[in-house]
Amino acid sequence: MNDCLFCKIIRREIPSTIVYEDEEILAFKDIHPVTPVHILVIPKKHITSLAELQKEDEAVVGRIYTVINEIAKKEGIFEKGFRVIVNCGEDGGQEVKHLHFHLLGGKKLGVKIA
Ligand code: 5GP
Ligand code: ZN
């Protein structure tokens, strides 16, 4: 996907602060953090949204959660807790059309995140 923002981040065409990378997964700091720790974890494969997930994507999504735990430990938020959010589609408030998992932590979160 040539014009996808997050694909451009994967290709280093747009700079970002990368905190984790392997063959299938990239994690980088959100440009507008809403919590002290706010990291986006994405599959390198362009998947438009959670709603577009295919059977073949199940393994990488499972691995993303393991990676999230590792990042949470590195970022020092594992013990106190954190939140993972996936916005999907228009009503879900998804702005970037490449599947991404928000890892949020570093403060006590309320019931609702904007
Ligand atoms: P969504 O609203 O689609 O769930 O989340 C998209 C997220 O991407 C937002 O939290 C937004 O701050 C973040 N974002 C948008 N553009 C950029 C960018 O160029 N770099 C980084 N690191 N994050 C971005
Ligand atoms: Zn993409």
Side-chain angles (χ1 to χ4, degrees), residues 1-14 26 28 42-47 96-99:
M1 288 292 281
N2 277 336
D3 57 351
C4 168
L5 179 70
F6 287 173
C7 284
K8 286 180 181 172
I9 285 178
I10 292 165
R11 295 194 300 263
R12 312 302 206 265
E13 290 167 18
I14 293 175
L26 186 74
F28 52 95
I42 66 173
K44 286 187 173 174
K45 176 185 173 187
H46 180 86
I47 301 168
V96 179
K97 306 297 189 277
H98 180 130
L99 176 63

Side-chain angles (χ1 to χ4, degrees), residues 5-6 28-31 40 87 93-96 100 102:
L5 179 70
F6 287 173
F28 52 95
K29 292 187 177 177
D30 195 291
I31 204 166
L40 301 172
N87 297 322
Q94 183 182 3
E95 286 175 10
V96 179
H100 52 281
H102 295 259

